[in-house]
Amino acid sequence: MIEPLVLIRDTLLDTLVAVLPIALLIVFFQRVVIRRPIPDLSRILVGFVLLVVGMVLFLAGLGEALFPLGRVMASQLTSPDFIGVPADAAPHWRSYWAVYVFGALIGFATTVAEPALIAVSMKAALVSGGTVSSWGLRIVVAIGVAIGIALGCFRIVTGTSLPAYIIVGYVLVSFQAMRAPRSILALAFDTGGVTTSTVTVPLVAALGLGLASTIPGRSPLADGFGLIAFASLFPMMTVMGYAQIGQWRARRRPQPHGAGSTEPAPPTPQEV
């Protein structure tokens, strides 16, 4: 009983150290620079208390549940008994197919539940007047994260170069940005950042470190990190790709005669 209380106490102190400077900075600008009282102070104080309590419980839960869960799943999915190879044999990268599937599914699920992405998708739907669907954007971004996490797990399993993947990926993103609709570019690049937030990062980081710790010949420091970079990169591709597909379909869709044109309609066979 004492250990959880000590954990919550330590997490509370760390949270206050992180949050109080932000609050003091806002109060300073409001009172000294803007020189106006803080509007609706009681509501803001209640919200601040809820923020601190929520962060404490969330961070404590991460350390007690999500991080160990990621390590346990990585250990189980890479055990010789599960992949069906002798303990002294070097498994082929195909033997770890369950790791790629689990990485993709956990990346998709955590991204759909990511609070930062939910907030951005709701704002995008509001600003666009419904042109950008909130759920549609979340699904497209989640597909990108799923692809990125699966590829990142493959990189850890094979021990291939992380910079090579990232450089090639951003080159592709640069070329894709030249062809994508300009109206979607800023949103596409923002989605690459909001996917790596409070829900996705802890579980994905624990998965990467767990894989690097259990796969023979891999270093947790050199190979365990990098999954988050993949999770940031591929959503930009999928969002721009989705917009490009929509643009291509709109161009191929037959336009009703006379829309945007003053030319007379061609005669029908009966008129001829």
Side-chain angles (χ1 to χ4, degrees):
M1 184 64 184
I2 297 178
E3 185 176 350
L5 294 177
V6 172
L7 173 65
I8 292 177
R9 182 202 64 190
D10 294 341
T11 307
L12 175 61
L13 293 175
D14 293 339
T15 302
L16 289 175
V17 170
V19 172
L20 279 178
I22 301 174
L24 293 175
L25 179 63
I26 295 174
V27 170
F28 172 79
F29 266 82
Q30 184 71 27
R31 300 292 296 179
V32 177
V33 179
I34 303 176
R35 296 182 180 178
R36 290 185 180 179
I38 299 176
D40 206 352
L41 181 59
S42 59
R43 181 179 178 182
I44 292 177
L45 290 176
V46 171
F48 182 80
V49 172
L50 294 176
L51 170 67
V52 172
V53 172
M55 287 186 64
V56 168
L57 296 177
F58 179 75
L59 292 173
L62 288 182
E64 293 298 302
L66 285 188
F67 275 117
L69 179 62
R71 290 192 294 267
V72 169
M73 289 300 298
S75 176
Q76 293 174 341
L77 291 171
T78 56
S79 65
D81 293 337
F82 180 80
I83 61 179
V85 297
D88 56 348
H92 194 270
W93 64 266
R94 292 191 187 94
S95 302
Y96 294 101
W97 63 269
V99 172
Y100 313 139
V101 174
F102 175 76
L105 293 178
I106 203 67
F108 184 92
T110 55
T111 302
V112 170
E114 187 64 66
L117 177 60
I118 294 174
V120 169
S121 62
M122 291 175 62
K123 289 295 183 181
L126 180 64
V127 171
S128 66
T131 304
V132 177
S133 166
S134 175
W135 260 107
L137 179 62
R138 288 166 63 186
I139 295 298
V140 171
V141 172
I143 291 173
V145 174
I147 296 171
I149 298 300
L151 185 60
C153 291
F154 171 80
R155 184 200 69 83
I156 294 176
V157 168
T158 57
T160 45
S161 171
L162 174 62
Y165 287 93
I166 300 302
I167 291 171
V168 172
Y170 275 101
V171 168
L172 293 177
V173 166
S174 300
F175 280 111
Q176 195 176 7
M178 297 177 186
R179 306 285 297 178
R182 291 192 61 184
S183 59
I184 204 69
L185 284 181
L187 180 60
F189 283 108
D190 277 351
T191 56
V194 297
T195 54
T196 54
S197 189
T198 51
V199 177
T200 307
V201 168
L203 197 53
V204 168
L207 175 63
L209 292 172
L211 286 177
S213 300
T214 55
I215 295 177
R218 301 293 171 263
S219 165
L221 181 60
D223 301 306
F225 296 98
L227 284 182
I228 298 170
F230 283 92
S232 299
L233 174 61
F234 280 84
M236 294 185 284
M237 295 184 181
T238 53
V239 171
M240 287 190 289
Y242 180 73
Q244 288 174 296
I245 292 173
Q247 188 181 55
W248 175 77
R249 291 182 62 186
R251 289 175 179 172
R252 288 180 58 88
R253 189 180 300 122
Q255 298 292 331
H257 188 81
S261 174
T262 57
E263 295 182 4
T268 63
Q270 293 78 4
E271 294 174 334
V272 175

